[in-house]
């Protein structure tokens, strides 16, 4: 079979490409700038751009399964997933990357539109509800941690069962290539539930320094996001996501990784050891 992976060069899409390639599956790795991308001989780079519909049909051609990372950055992103699925004539199986607690977010949230589109597509669908990624600490949160040793978020003291994107990818690969997962919503978590300070203690131990979490009031966080140029829609989505954390919605631990992949989910300590230099203090 051929699997089209949308967002193939991103934080969550790239591991999906790698997990499928490891299974010997033919992958159409879709991105806006695909030159030079690929993992092994089974991966074919293809051009796909949510904002350029002329790229859709060539990318979809022959794809029996489809992994979707939604168009968060597109102003008309609500309807794009439904429109894409309407053109996916060769595709019988769809896996959508959503987010844990999506059912608790405002109904106007993009993820809610995408989930409804997938359910109504008439295809074999599976929706992934992963918790917050380990890799967020190594990308978006990394500069603040490296430069100041402090992470400020409106997450309160809520615990999160953080998860490695590699485990999410392996679950996605199973859902894309094996029968028995149609019509399911899979909540994907790591092996333990941690507060942000507990998570930073683990990262700090690996990096050999103290890292500190500071809870900030939601209104202050929103004002900072607005001042940084975030759209009101993004601010509303962030408000909902952090409210779910504060209310305890990100704390549960599931057996999905173990059950679908046959191995326990990776620990944050393992991830921290692999990337300890990321949070080392900036050179004077």
């Amino acid at each position: 079979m051929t699997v089209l992976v949308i967002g193939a060069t991103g934080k969550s899409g790239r591991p999906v490409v790698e997990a499928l390639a490891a299974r010997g599956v033919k992958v159409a790795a879709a991105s806006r700038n695909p030159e030079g991308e690929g993992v092994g001989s089974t991966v074919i780079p293809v051009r796909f751009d949510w904002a350029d519909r002329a790229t859709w049909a060539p990318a979809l051609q022959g794809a029996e399964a489809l992994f979707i990372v939604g168009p968060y950055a597109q102003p008309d992103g609500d309807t794009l997933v439904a429109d894409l699925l309407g053109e996916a004539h060769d595709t019988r199986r769809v896996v959508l990357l959503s987010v844990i607690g999506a059912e608790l977010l405002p109904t106007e949230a993009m993820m809610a539109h995408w989930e409804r589109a997938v359910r109504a597509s008439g295809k074999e669908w599976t929706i992934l509800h992963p918790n917050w990624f380990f890799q967020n600490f190594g990308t978006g949160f990394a500069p603040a941690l490296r430069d100041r040793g402090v992470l400020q978020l409106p997450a309160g003291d809520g615990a999160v069962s953080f998860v490695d994107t590699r485990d999410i990818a392996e679950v996605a690969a199973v859902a894309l290539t094996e029968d028995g997962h149609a019509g399911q919503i899979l909540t994907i978590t790591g092996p333990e539930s941690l507060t942000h300070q507990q998570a930073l203690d683990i990262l700090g131990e690996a990096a050999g320094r103290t890292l500190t979490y500071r809870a900030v009031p939601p209104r202050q966080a929103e004002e900072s996001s607005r001042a940084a140029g975030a759209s009101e829609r993004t601010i509303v989505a962030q408000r909902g996501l952090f409210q779910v954390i504060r209310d305890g919605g990100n704390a549960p631990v599931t057996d999905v990784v173990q059950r679908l992949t046959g191995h326990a989910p990776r620990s944050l300590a393992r991830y921290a050891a692999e990337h300890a230099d990321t949070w080392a203090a900036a050179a004077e």
Side-chain angles (χ1 to χ4, degrees), residues 80-280:
L80 289 180
V81 169
D83 292 348
L84 179 71
L85 291 171
E87 293 193 23
H89 306 299
D90 297 331
T91 304
R92 65 181 179 89
R93 184 172 292 169
V94 177
V95 173
L96 172 71
L97 183 73
S98 186
V99 63
I100 192 170
E103 70 281 3
L104 303 176
L105 297 178
T107 55
E108 68 269 24
M110 280 193 180
M111 288 83 79
H113 290 278
W114 302 339
E115 291 196 12
R116 287 194 292 270
V118 167
R119 288 170 180 266
S121 67
K123 303 181 186 300
E124 298 177 18
W125 60 264
T126 306
I127 296 172
L128 307 185
H129 279 186
N131 217 323
W132 287 60
F133 305 161
F134 292 168
Q135 284 72 12
N136 290 337
F137 292 109
T139 53
F141 300 157
L145 291 171
R146 183 178 58 250
D147 298 342
R148 300 187 298 277
V150 175
L151 177 64
Q152 298 187 109
L153 292 173
D157 294 323
V160 177
S161 48
F162 299 100
V163 64
D164 197 301
T165 56
R166 293 171 292 185
D167 290 325
I168 300 168
E170 290 180 26
V171 170
V174 171
L176 286 162
T177 62
E178 297 182 12
D179 295 332
H181 308 289
Q184 295 185 11
I185 297 176
L186 301 175
T187 301
I188 309 171
T189 75
E192 58 186 338
S193 192
L194 303 164
T195 66
H196 278 83
Q197 185 56 63
Q198 290 171 328
L200 293 188
D201 288 343
I202 292 171
L203 302 184
E205 182 176 358
R209 62 183 298 212
T210 298
L211 299 175
T212 302
Y213 166 69
R214 293 178 185 163
V216 298
R219 185 178 297 275
Q220 179 183 329
E222 290 181 18
E223 290 172 354
S224 296
S225 294
R226 193 171 287 114
S231 69
E232 289 302 312
R233 180 151 204 173
T234 297
I235 290 170
V236 169
Q238 290 176 342
R239 180 188 303 156
L241 291 170
F242 283 112
Q243 183 67 55
V244 173
I245 293 179
R246 294 194 300 272
D247 291 344
N250 292 70
V253 174
T254 71
D255 68 346
V256 169
V257 174
Q258 177 73 55
R259 182 159 48 84
L260 268 70
T261 71
H263 67 73
R266 295 166 173 86
S267 69
L268 183 59
R270 173 178 171 181
Y271 172 78
E274 293 170 344
H275 301 278
D277 289 349
T278 302
W279 309 286

Side-chain angles (χ1 to χ4, degrees), residues 32 70-77 110 114:
R32 284 179 294 178
Y72 288 93
Q74 297 301 316
D76 57 346
M110 280 193 180
W114 302 339

